[in-house]
Amino acid sequence: MMVQDRPAPLIDPFARAISYLRVSVTDRCDFRCLYCMSEDMTFLPKAEILSLEELDRLCSAFVRLGVRKLRMTGGEPLVRRNVMSLFRSLSRHLRSGDLDELTVTTNGSQLARHAAELADCGVRRINVSIDTLDARKFTEITRWGRLEQVLAGVAAAKAAGLAVKINAVALKGFNDDELDRMVAWCGDEGFDLVLIEVMPMGELGGEARLDQYLPLSIVRAGLQRNWTLDESDYRTGGPARYYTVRETGRRIGFITPLTHNFCESCNRVRLTCTGTLYMCLGQEDAADLRAPLRAGGGDEVLEAAIREAIRHKPKGHDFVIDRRRRGPAVSRHMSVTGG
Ligand code: SAM
Ligand code: SF4
């Protein structure tokens, strides 16, 4: 049997291997979370957006270059028309063993109708973003969302055998009084929970962000009054630091870009739905992969463009939320790169 030569893996200038690609498949969303989008977002014209076939071709090029984990995000990935065909086609890399994991971060609104098919495409774990379990507050923070619909989606995911991780952004004065309840709920449901510090991205108006920022060091200390958090060396290839909640047996993760810098172990890059590759969530360094994709050349051209881009991955981000700096650290919204 002929053994095909594998291309050299993607290694950045700081000797970090790039094994994780996050793909924002759409900039659109059916929610307007207060910390993520403004109410009157202008979305990209359709012509700028990569087709699902183009997204498949790009993701597959990354897989050939050694990416082992793909996460579909957005915007809301499950509102993109026919998005399941992308999951379906990418699932071939799971079957061939070239990919370890295909996964999705979703607001859960469309999960009830897609959960079973996601599982059928080889998706094993999903992240669902829920910041509060209070229906009124849920609509307040998402502006347009309905908690009931999301919980139905989560139930469908559980029924389909998907492992569910709940993502919650910790927001001062909004859900800080509810986090104990969320730990208990996740324990009852068998879900892991990840708490995220609000990051300074996108113009949302005035001093709002400073008011929202809640350091997770404070949150963790508060939780430890009611729960025993045992340190865990569990890692998912993402930036969260995990503990096990002894009373529930479930994990709780903390993503703390502002209080703890995790850049030294960064293994990921982010692709937008227009084919722009961002080398770091917190920096503007980007490369256009749509031009080489649409230039009509072979995959070598695309792979060369990806390699060139990775050569520019910066060492780390410099997020700061303080009073001296009024604007966001990065002007693009989180929905561009999908978190
Ligand atoms: N729509 C999907 C969702 O909400 O899960 C996927 C995209 S969303 C941009 C991905 C994650 O980023 C969500 O968990 C969301 O809460 C988080 N997020 C959005 N804006 C953020 C910000 N400014 N700081 C921290 N997390 C943010
Ligand atoms: Fe939409 Fe997710 Fe942003 Fe909320 S966090 S507005 S659900 S993209």
Side-chain angles (χ1 to χ4, degrees):
M1 194 175 72
M2 225 182 50
V3 181
Q4 263 195 321
D5 279 347
R6 283 231 153 246
L10 295 170
I11 309 283
D12 81 357
F14 304 95
R16 296 169 299 193
I18 305 305
S19 56
Y20 181 5
L21 177 69
R22 301 175 67 110
V23 187
S24 176
V25 301
T26 175
D27 62 332
R28 288 162 198 255
C29 186
D30 53 344
F31 291 1
R32 292 287 182 280
C33 300
L34 292 174
Y35 49 77
C36 178
M37 292 193 180
S38 58
E39 189 152 23
D40 57 344
M41 292 290 284
T42 313
F43 293 113
L44 293 160
K46 291 240 159 56
E48 302 241 333
I49 310 262
L50 299 184
S51 68
L52 293 171
E53 292 72 23
E54 287 174 319
L55 282 170
D56 178 275
R57 197 174 147 216
L58 257 178
C59 290
S60 300
F62 276 94
V63 170
R64 269 196 308 282
L65 296 177
V67 159
R68 305 286 314 172
K69 174 169 173 176
L70 288 175
R71 178 178 296 278
M72 302 299 133
T73 172
E76 173 45 40
L78 300 184
V79 300
R80 176 143 185 189
R81 188 155 13 120
N82 211 13
V83 72
M84 292 313 300
S85 69
L86 180 62
F87 282 94
R88 182 67 65 193
S89 66
L90 289 173
S91 71
R92 71 185 183 281
H93 300 304
L94 291 171
R95 286 194 302 277
S96 70
D98 290 333
L99 188 65
D100 294 330
E101 185 164 25
L102 176 60
T103 183
V104 59
T105 298
T106 172
N107 67 23
S109 69
Q110 311 301 312
L111 205 45
R113 60 191 178 104
H114 291 313
E117 192 173 358
L118 284 171
D120 195 49
C121 290
V123 173
R124 293 287 163 258
R125 306 186 297 156
I126 60 167
N127 290 13
V128 185
S129 303
I130 301 180
D131 301 323
T132 169
L133 291 169
D134 174 314
R136 186 191 53 75
K137 279 164 72 179
F138 187 84
T139 299
E140 181 188 327
I141 196 78
T142 59
R143 290 199 184 98
W144 299 354
R146 279 181 39 241
L147 179 65
E148 196 191 347
Q149 187 179 343
V150 170
L151 293 181
V154 167
K158 195 173 161 181
L162 297 171
V164 175
K165 187 186 286 171
I166 302 295
N167 280 354
V169 177
L171 298 161
K172 190 161 76 183
F174 178 76
N175 60 3
D176 33 3
D177 59 342
E178 246 197 285
L179 298 174
D180 280 313
R181 182 178 168 210
M182 290 192 76
V183 172
W185 177 71
C186 286
D188 291 344
E189 294 285 338
F191 302 154
D192 287 347
L193 174 64
V194 170
L195 300 177
I196 309 171
E197 268 172 5
V198 68
M199 291 176 233
M201 300 189 67
E203 221 33 276
L204 301 175
E207 293 284 290
R209 185 113 39 199
L210 196 61
D211 296 341
Q212 294 169 341
Y213 176 55
L214 173 61
L216 289 187
S217 44
I218 295 180
V219 170
R220 196 170 60 224
L223 289 174
Q224 279 168 323
R225 282 199 282 273
N226 293 315
W227 309 96
T228 319
L229 304 186
D230 293 321
E231 279 197 45
S232 153
D233 53 11
Y234 175 76
R235 299 302 296 255
T236 56
R241 289 285 146 93
Y242 283 92
Y243 295 76
T244 305
V245 184
R246 201 181 294 169
E247 291 78 2
T248 67
R250 302 307 314 181
R251 290 189 194 96
I252 182 164
F254 297 87
I255 300 188
T256 55
L258 300 168
T259 53
H260 174 93
N261 202 305
F262 45 65
C263 303
E264 68 280 0
S265 59
C266 182
N267 60 353
R268 73 211 70 119
V269 287
R270 297 170 160 84
L271 183 68
T272 72
C273 58
T274 57
T276 302
L277 188 71
Y278 280 96
M279 260 57 75
C280 171
L281 183 61
Q283 302 282 4
E284 303 286 2
D285 304 69
D288 172 36
L289 298 179
R290 187 176 59 186
L293 183 72
R294 292 187 171 168
D299 282 339
E300 321 77 62
V301 182
L302 198 53
E303 289 177 13
I306 293 172
R307 281 192 195 287
E308 179 55 29
I310 299 298
R311 271 198 277 279
H312 299 283
K313 185 168 163 63
K315 192 163 184 208
H317 65 68
D318 1 82
F319 284 137
V320 219
I321 296 185
D322 67 11
R323 284 173 204 284
R324 279 160 293 151
R325 191 153 159 180
R326 292 180 60 88
V330 236
S331 57
R332 62 181 188 272
H333 288 94
M334 188 69 100
S335 49
V336 174
T337 47

